[in-house]
Amino acid sequence: MTYRHDTGGHRWTFADLKELMAKATPLRSGDQLAGIAAGSAEENIVAKICLADVPLKRFLNEPLIPYETDEVTRLIIDTHDAAAFAPISHMTVGEFRNFLLSDAATPTVLAGLTRGMTPEMAAAVSKLMRNQDLISVAKKCRVVTKFRDTIGLPGTMAVRLQPNHPTDDWGGIAASILDGLLYGCGDAVIGINPASDSLSAVTELLYRLDDIIGRFAIPTQGCVLTHATTSIDLIGKGVPVDLVFQSVAGTEAANRSFGVDLALLREARDAARSLHRGTVGDNVMYFETGQGSALSAAAHHGVDQQTCEARAYAVCRPFEPLLVNTVVGFIGPEYLYDGKQIVRAGLEDHFCGKLLGLPMGCDICYTNHAEADQDDMDTLLTLLATAGVTYVMGVPGADDVMLNYQSTAFHDSLYIRDLLSLGRAPEFEAWLRDMRIAGKDGRILNHGAGHRLLPLAGTP
């Protein structure tokens, strides 16, 4: 369907919904690279005006990527819940925005709508929103998941402890784990990106991680971020796998470039659940996404990168993950050029993920050749925590020496917890008090008085 709008004698024309969505997107370098961005601020505004008048039902009848050629589109359409959609089915995108910002859109009401929304609807309404709108609505969306602790409760924010090492040296990894735990980080997961993806290297890291978690009875989960096929193989060999990790994207072709499809993800989830390693729940999947991944794989089908990202959340949703996060600035300035674009993308991703019912976190990060710095990361951290982000990253010194990018540090979590009075997962918080790492109020203690993690310092 063609979309038109007249302004001062000039007729603007958008060939289809896909082009309209792309032109309505706030400017970012990835869409410019793809040749689909608005050519001017005026065209961007006109596209937003047109998009505001599009009925939400249109997204069910005009797929951006054909149903016949893309299994993600088929997943979105085939699992759409018409009953959940009914309360908003009469709305346009603009009316939906007004509803989301109204008092009528309570946390309970929003939770009831999640299965009735498609990712394209979420992406469309986000394009009409200012940053404060994205924050206000996301704050009302709460998603709680469980494995060995409970993540996403109101008034809490978890942290992934990320102890990467450029050679997978266990001494270096253990030192980072100890450092992170003493800052009160790790309730989301202790997650290692391995330098080597060999079965032997990943196996050793998993056994050592399992030993630390078991030896100190830490109510958290471990994960070595290897490919899902590797995790399936290791589970079959009896290796202690808590969570299955996988990067996913919003199109079938992009997921194929990652070496996965929906059937493989189902196999991985079922394999992990068969181990029954969770103590308070069985959310066993950990997904990472990021704007630009479909474009970088030449698998975006002309769809803007933010909408492709929202479609990735449709891939995550059926698998009831413990954790999902957008690695917002990791791919580089070709896709998100500077701090302004990274901040906007992080807020969009968090909003869309939460609106679609996911436990949404964010790796607040940038590469060293982007036009961004740690002040931009401080800004995004503060905004996301205000918006109720489920978890963020904790990296030693904010500088990941294995992946070679900048993220958020252990001490950043202390800043934001103190600023906004945010707790941790309750089971993890109780453990920190028992280990004399945190006091009754959750604040980290002066370690000169001693704590009960000293044996970890001597881990071989």
Side-chain angles (χ1 to χ4, degrees):
M1 178 176 176
T2 302
Y3 299 83
R4 296 184 176 88
H5 187 79
D6 294 332
T7 58
H10 180 78
R11 168 161 287 192
W12 297 89
T13 302
F14 306 96
D16 52 25
L17 189 53
K18 177 166 61 176
E19 181 182 3
L20 180 64
M21 291 275 280
K23 301 293 189 184
T25 304
L27 185 66
R28 62 208 55 197
S29 53
D31 291 337
Q32 289 177 308
L33 178 66
I36 60 175
S40 65
E42 183 180 7
E43 185 178 23
N44 177 249
I45 293 298
V46 170
K48 290 180 191 294
I49 293 171
C50 287
L51 183 60
D53 290 334
V54 173
L56 292 178
K57 288 180 179 178
R58 185 83 40 85
F59 292 96
L60 299 173
N61 301 318
E62 190 179 340
L64 305 190
I65 300 173
Y67 181 95
E68 297 76 15
T69 60
D70 186 88
E71 71 168 355
V72 177
T73 298
R74 292 194 291 275
L75 173 69
I76 292 167
I77 299 300
D78 293 349
T79 61
H80 180 253
D81 187 329
F85 180 57
I88 58 172
S89 62
H90 63 284
M91 295 183 186
T92 64
V93 176
E95 290 168 341
F96 186 40
R97 172 191 176 274
N98 293 341
F99 165 75
L100 291 174
L101 291 167
S102 74
D103 292 338
T106 65
T108 301
V109 168
L110 292 177
L113 294 175
T114 56
R115 298 291 172 173
M117 275 182 278
T118 69
E120 290 86 354
M121 294 175 193
V125 75
S126 76
K127 297 176 192 300
L128 305 184
M129 289 181 155
R130 292 170 54 187
N131 287 359
Q132 65 174 256
D133 300 336
L134 299 172
I135 293 167
S136 296
V137 177
K139 181 71 171 179
K140 296 190 285 188
C141 302
R142 278 290 169 181
V143 183
V144 177
T145 56
K146 301 179 180 183
F147 189 75
R148 290 201 188 97
D149 57 0
T150 305
I151 297 169
L153 292 170
T156 68
M157 185 197 74
V159 177
R160 170 190 162 184
L161 201 171
Q162 186 169 310
N164 297 342
H165 191 278
T167 63
D168 289 338
D169 176 75
W170 182 249
I173 291 171
S176 293
I177 292 175
L178 174 61
D179 193 22
L181 291 173
L182 293 180
Y183 275 99
C185 298
D187 47 345
V189 64
I190 303 175
I192 304 169
N193 295 88
S196 168
D197 206 32
S198 72
L199 282 176
S200 60
V202 174
T203 297
E204 180 179 1
L205 290 175
L206 282 167
Y207 273 113
R208 287 184 177 273
L209 199 49
D210 183 61
D211 174 66
I212 282 182
I213 291 173
R215 192 179 354 150
F216 294 97
I218 308 173
T220 190
Q221 31 287 327
C223 185
V224 175
L225 280 67
T226 188
H227 195 272
T229 53
T230 303
S231 294
I232 292 170
D233 288 346
L234 294 174
I235 291 169
K237 298 177 187 299
V239 177
V241 175
D242 289 343
L243 306 182
V244 172
F245 167 82
Q246 186 56 53
S247 295
V248 295
T251 72
E252 178 180 345
N255 284 322
R256 193 182 307 121
S257 76
F258 289 147
V260 299
D261 57 20
L262 297 177
L264 177 66
L265 295 178
R266 282 191 289 271
E267 180 184 355
R269 179 201 55 193
D270 294 346
R273 283 184 171 172
S274 73
L275 298 179
H276 303 290
R277 293 178 59 79
T279 55
V280 297
D282 66 351
N283 299 118
V284 297
M285 300 299 285
Y286 174 12
F287 292 117
E288 283 191 346
T289 67
Q291 286 195 31
S293 58
L295 175 58
S296 68
H300 63 297
H301 300 276
V303 176
D304 68 271
Q305 66 181 38
Q306 189 255 332
T307 301
C308 281
E309 171 70 6
R311 284 170 55 93
Y313 307 149
V315 174
C316 302
R317 190 163 57 175
F319 301 102
E320 301 176 314
L322 180 75
L323 306 166
V324 178
N325 74 265
T326 170
V327 193
V328 69
F330 183 74
I331 304 181
E334 300 84 359
Y335 304 94
L336 295 169
Y337 178 72
D338 57 14
K340 181 180 176 67
Q341 292 188 12
I342 292 171
V343 167
R344 174 69 191 190
L347 294 176
E348 289 170 346
D349 295 350
H350 178 253
F351 164 86
C352 289
K354 281 290 185 65
L355 203 60
L356 293 167
L358 291 175
M360 203 69 197
C362 185
D363 190 343
I364 301 165
C365 63
Y366 63 100
T367 58
N368 290 316
H369 62 309
E371 290 294 324
D373 58 27
Q374 215 62 33
D375 285 340
D376 297 311
M377 303 305 101
D378 289 347
T379 298
L380 183 51
L381 171 63
T382 306
L383 295 175
L384 282 172
T386 303
V389 71
T390 302
Y391 71 106
V392 296
M393 305 299 135
V395 177
D399 183 1
D400 192 303
V401 295
M402 196 282 282
L403 293 174
N404 194 31
Y405 78 117
Q406 310 304 309
S407 186
T408 45
F410 299 144
H411 62 269
D412 292 332
S413 67
L414 299 184
Y415 145 72
I416 201 65
R417 291 188 196 284
D418 183 62
L419 181 71
L420 300 178
S421 300
L422 295 171
R424 302 172 182 86
E427 301 90 344
F428 190 81
E429 190 98 41
W431 178 83
L432 290 175
R433 291 195 296 269
D434 183 60
M435 299 298 289
R436 298 196 294 270
I437 295 171
K440 292 182 179 180
D441 60 359
R443 296 178 69 87
I444 299 300
L445 297 173
N446 182 340
H447 295 139
H451 53 78
R452 297 175 61 189
L453 274 185
L454 288 174
L456 180 55
T459 298

